[in-house]
Amino acid sequence: MTTASSKPESFDLDDFVASAMAEYDTAPKAAPKKAKTPKKEEVVAVEPPKPIELKDGESLFSTLFGSVPKNMTDFAVRKFTDVPSNFTHLVPKMDTKYVVQTEEAARLVAAIMDGDKVLLSGPTGSGKSSLVKYACAVVAAPFLRINMSADAESSVLFGQLVARDGSTVWQDGPITEAVRYGGVVLIDEWELMPPEISMGLQNLLEDDGYLFLKEMPGDAVDKTIIPHKNFRIVCAGNTVGQGDDTGGFSGTMVQNSATLDRFTTTIRLDYLSPEHEVAIMTGKTGIADGTARDMVRVAGLVRNAYNQRSVNLTMSPRTLINWASKTVKYGDVTFAFRVAFFDKLRDSDKKAVSELFSKVTGLSL
């Protein structure tokens, strides 16, 4: 069982608050590098990129997402077609207020286009599931989200025999349905997955893989399901499946290295920039811009304290939005902070967080 880390015996609150404020407010700046004038023989002519030829039904990523990724060239995106009528209701609606993290979205959409198996990791509330859902809305893909747990049973996910109309029939689970009909399956909190389920996915994660339903009646041909051309799988979690060394994610398991080796695209999703978080809060809750900026600054300080193991709980974007919503509702930023976050803290953490809150807002808890 994972145990929470304890503070050093010599913990000094005043020193901690001062160092936390200094670290958050003072961004280190690298010394400017002196430009090097290339020698004549070092100049190499670079051919301009060839224009992308779009096929029917394709659009550029930059057209759909509003910008070109910095670390990738623009690329063609094809919307899903031939979605069966029983799966069309699973295509998400567009969230017009969603703030896109362009670089991560580009890697995810490229992986979906290429049929890659995706491993998506990031801290609590960093927007892992919402990114996958938004990408599915853009490409018109059915979206199935499965929340994993340590006591999950393979029969619930892959299928089982059930009684119906006086007889016993096979009923597909959500993963099997997606394999048959096509769609993006998001297995959330995947590192909680029991080993027997992980091993059940092994064949499916292979190139040209398939799903074998060993519990399903019939012969080997009946039990073997070849994935639909639009089937995709994304596993998301707080870790990368190799355990948790922060003490913050109890219950996470070390996954089989053979499973990890089968993921062909890996994406790390961190918290949004302060400007993006402010935009989300004002857009979703209507809170004043200045108040939102103070809230984001408090969250940044708490996150730094959490990363230093000085407090035991961090502030996610989800918590920020909740705090903003309650501030608008109650008209009191201090009371809303208590309700949304502060009263979750251990007594040993409250004094430090209270000091950080007061330094930013000038208010007392």
Side-chain angles (χ1 to χ4, degrees), residues 23 37 50 83 86 113 193 218 238 303-304 309 328 349 364:
E23 180 177 346
T37 304
K50 296 179 180 180
V83 177
N86 61 325
M113 293 297 102
M193 184 187 300
N238 301 123
R303 290 168 186 167
N304 284 350
R309 311 285 181 89
V328 172
D349 293 336
S364 299

Side-chain angles (χ1 to χ4, degrees), residues 59-61 63-65 77-80 91-95 98 100 105 109 113 131-141:
S59 302
L60 289 175
F61 174 89
T63 302
L64 296 174
F65 286 83
V77 177
R78 171 188 52 79
K79 292 196 174 185
F80 279 38
V91 177
K93 294 181 179 179
M94 286 291 296
D95 181 356
Y98 182 77
V100 180
V109 173
M113 293 297 102
L131 174 63
V132 180
K133 184 177 181 180
Y134 183 80
C136 287
V138 172
V139 302

Side-chain angles (χ1 to χ4, degrees), residues 154-167:
S154 60
S155 60
V156 176
L157 299 177
F158 297 111
Q160 58 189 321
L161 290 167
V162 298
R164 184 179 299 160
D165 299 329
S167 61

Side-chain angles (χ1 to χ4, degrees), residues 242-255:
Q242 299 176 59
D244 167 41
D245 56 5
T246 69
F249 306 112
S250 178
T252 55
M253 300 182 184
V254 176
Q255 297 296 322

